[in-house]
Amino acid sequence: MKRLRKELRSKWAFVLLAIAVLVHALMMGSLFWGYLDSLFDNSASLPQGIDFFSVYEAGHSVLENRSVYHFDGADTSVTPHHNPFRYLPLVAYVVAVPFNALPAWEGYWTWVAINELLLVLNAYLTWRVAGRSDWALVAASMWFVFTPFYVELYVGQFSFLMATLLLLTGLGLVRGRELRGGLPWAVSIVTKSNSALLLPLLIRVGWWRAIAGGAVLVALNAAYFAGRLRDLQYFLWINLSQVLNGGYGLLDYQLRPGEMRFFEDPDQRLFQFSSGEHGLLALVRNSYLAFDSTATNLPGPFSLVLVAAVVGVGLGVTFFSRRLDVLALFGVWICTFFLVYTAWEHHYVMLLPALVLLVAFRPASRWIALVTFAFVAMPSPYWLVNAVSGASLPPAGSLVSIQESWPAWGVVLHHAAKPLPVLALWAHLVYAQVRNNAT
């Protein structure tokens, strides 16, 4: 027994990895049997595969020679359910069209399998580049026990593809290899454009070829929008109004082919008060609305001030530092997304590259990265608040949030669980860059 304990102490990281893989297998089983669905807002309230089917529908629209942003929520002839498409047109042509070679559900499960493969490759790459040490195994284990990944696969999102591209970008930055890091970044720009937040860092390190490559890929979408200016207006509206209006882009779910309607009144409480959001802006907005049942939105330009403050600090430490701490700044800009934009639970898989690189390469930031990981990796308090408050989901198709039946403390707890640890990590990394500049 003593010998066994000694061996376990010497191989604790391998044991941790084995436990992580087992937990991951249990999570993946829930995709088939649903025993974890009630833990998360999206899996409790949305039908499985809805985001993947939204992209799949866009590919079908390409094949039908119509707008990729065409949306008819009542049409289930192609997919069983779907949301409006909100990516750049290139995603519809390059990603969605090939998936249309498969029936919708087969395409979804193929996408799940691809994401599982990406996860294993990410974990292996993390372990290999981090020196194959005990801490390298810890960093690799982090990929397997991250519950936002379950939500990611449940809805069929494309955020984990972004996580893979961001991991490769981060490794390129750490090692100073523009081609290896710049090409994945350029691809990420046209996949989910939030990686544009890394642009200040790339400018500072002089990755001009990577920036040019990203610009070329973005410009490829201009040919599509040139003949469809209404689609360009729609794309900007659905992706930017969340920040400009301090909440959701207000989408008319009753659109029919050929129609494009926008809400005239952006201040409607039912669009702002959402249990699905987990960014810092969502914490501030939902907390305000929870304590004022008559309010419809945050007062004045509060959201823009908060966004300007966070982005301004990031720009300051990026461009006014004499000595660059590239890994710290990579983390600062990855964290910024969750502080200034709408972040759903599955979006947090895009935080993983920064967390694993900090654990693998930066001992001084290792523990705060692990603490942040622990909070973000766990399910949000969604199930706990529902159980304590006795809340139940609104009727199917209702736009009223389940939060309307939560106590105010439940709303604050639910929305604070993920962004506040990220805010703490962001502040730590900003300070690390400032301190590096002062020494």
Side-chain angles (χ1 to χ4, degrees):
M1 182 62 69
K2 184 179 295 186
R3 180 179 177 182
L4 177 61
R5 288 198 298 268
K6 183 178 180 180
E7 289 181 356
L8 288 176
R9 282 197 299 270
S10 65
K11 297 180 179 179
W12 63 273
F14 285 101
V15 173
L16 182 65
L17 178 61
I19 294 172
V21 172
L22 177 60
V23 171
H24 182 77
L26 292 173
M27 284 199 302
M28 293 306 98
S30 184
L31 288 176
F32 300 93
W33 295 291
Y35 45 78
L36 297 180
D37 290 354
S38 62
L39 296 181
F40 312 97
D41 173 88
N42 276 190
S43 54
S45 60
L46 297 176
Q48 190 167 356
I50 187 168
D51 285 349
F52 173 82
F53 293 142
S54 304
V55 175
Y56 186 97
E57 284 275 353
H60 182 71
S61 292
V62 171
L63 297 175
E64 293 288 313
N65 196 29
R66 62 190 180 196
S67 168
V68 298
Y69 302 105
H70 164 87
F71 175 69
D72 182 359
D75 182 6
T76 59
S77 61
V78 178
T79 60
H81 37 255
H82 59 280
N83 278 329
F85 181 70
R86 61 188 304 159
Y87 297 103
L88 285 167
L90 198 61
V91 174
Y93 283 84
V94 175
V95 179
V97 168
F99 270 110
N100 272 257
L102 298 171
W105 275 112
E106 289 183 18
Y108 165 76
W109 288 112
T110 300
W111 183 235
V112 168
I114 291 172
N115 276 274
E116 280 289 289
L117 178 60
L118 289 176
L119 183 139
V120 173
L121 291 175
N122 290 350
Y124 172 75
L125 181 61
T126 299
W127 170 74
R128 193 185 71 180
V129 300
R132 307 183 185 188
S133 62
D134 285 347
W135 282 110
L137 285 171
V138 172
S141 300
M142 293 164 67
W143 292 98
F144 292 96
V145 288
F146 202 66
T147 62
F149 183 70
Y150 174 74
V151 186
E152 168 83 2
L153 295 191
Y154 177 89
V155 297
Q157 252 280 343
F158 285 72
S159 299
F160 196 73
L161 174 59
M162 282 292 291
T164 302
L165 296 170
L166 289 172
L167 174 66
L168 296 173
T169 302
L171 287 172
L173 285 166
V174 169
R175 295 186 165 188
R177 297 178 178 178
E178 181 177 0
L179 179 60
R180 293 188 181 183
L183 181 59
W185 177 81
V187 174
S188 74
I189 282 291
V190 292
T191 304
K192 292 173 76 77
S193 303
N194 56 289
S195 55
L197 287 168
L198 290 172
L199 186 59
L201 177 56
L202 301 189
I203 291 174
R204 182 61 202 274
V205 299
W207 278 19
W208 300 110
R209 289 177 297 176
I211 294 170
V216 169
L217 290 178
V218 171
L220 291 177
N221 295 277
Y224 175 89
F225 285 127
R228 300 178 176 89
L229 295 181
R230 189 65 167 162
D231 279 10
L232 176 61
Q233 180 186 2
Y234 175 83
F235 173 79
L236 295 174
W237 167 75
I238 196 172
N239 286 290
L240 296 181
S241 62
Q242 298 174 2
V243 173
L244 299 177
N245 291 338
Y248 278 116
L250 305 186
L251 181 65
D252 187 342
Y253 281 88
Q254 303 305 314
L255 287 177
R256 292 294 181 266
E259 295 183 351
M260 186 73 70
R261 295 201 306 272
F262 302 91
F263 285 105
E264 296 180 358
D265 178 12
D267 295 327
Q268 299 186 44
R269 178 184 177 88
L270 62 87
F271 286 100
Q272 314 300 334
F273 199 48
S274 168
S275 59
E277 293 183 80
H278 291 276
L280 182 63
L281 279 177
L283 167 63
V284 175
R285 183 178 68 254
N286 282 273
S287 298
Y288 179 80
L289 296 177
F291 286 97
D292 186 351
S293 60
T294 64
T296 57
N297 205 342
L298 281 172
F302 189 91
S303 298
L304 290 177
V305 171
L306 179 58
V307 169
V310 173
V311 173
V313 170
L315 291 173
V317 296
T318 301
F319 288 109
F320 295 102
S321 296
R322 294 187 304 274
R323 298 171 55 189
L324 284 189
D325 186 333
V326 175
L327 182 51
L329 289 175
F330 177 75
V332 164
W333 288 108
I334 294 296
C335 289
T336 296
F337 169 75
F338 301 96
L339 306 181
V340 305
Y341 198 69
T342 299
W344 297 84
E345 194 155 3
H346 56 78
H347 283 151
Y348 277 88
V349 298
M350 294 185 288
L351 183 66
L352 263 176
L355 295 175
V356 299
L357 291 179
L358 289 169
V359 169
F361 292 110
R362 178 182 287 278
S365 301
R366 182 170 288 157
W367 289 107
I368 189 170
L370 285 171
V371 170
T372 302
F373 171 82
F375 276 99
V376 178
M378 292 188 296
S380 68
Y382 177 83
W383 179 87
L384 176 64
V385 178
N386 282 338
V388 172
S389 65
S392 57
L393 285 170
S398 172
L399 293 178
V400 176
S401 172
I402 193 173
Q403 289 184 166
E404 293 287 4
S405 56
W406 286 0
W409 66 262
V411 174
V412 175
L413 174 66
H414 174 71
H415 289 283
K418 295 185 187 294
L420 287 188
V422 175
L423 178 62
L425 177 63
W426 176 85
H428 165 83
L429 295 173
V430 167
Y431 175 72
Q433 173 59 73
V434 171
R435 183 178 58 186
N436 181 62
N437 191 50
T439 56

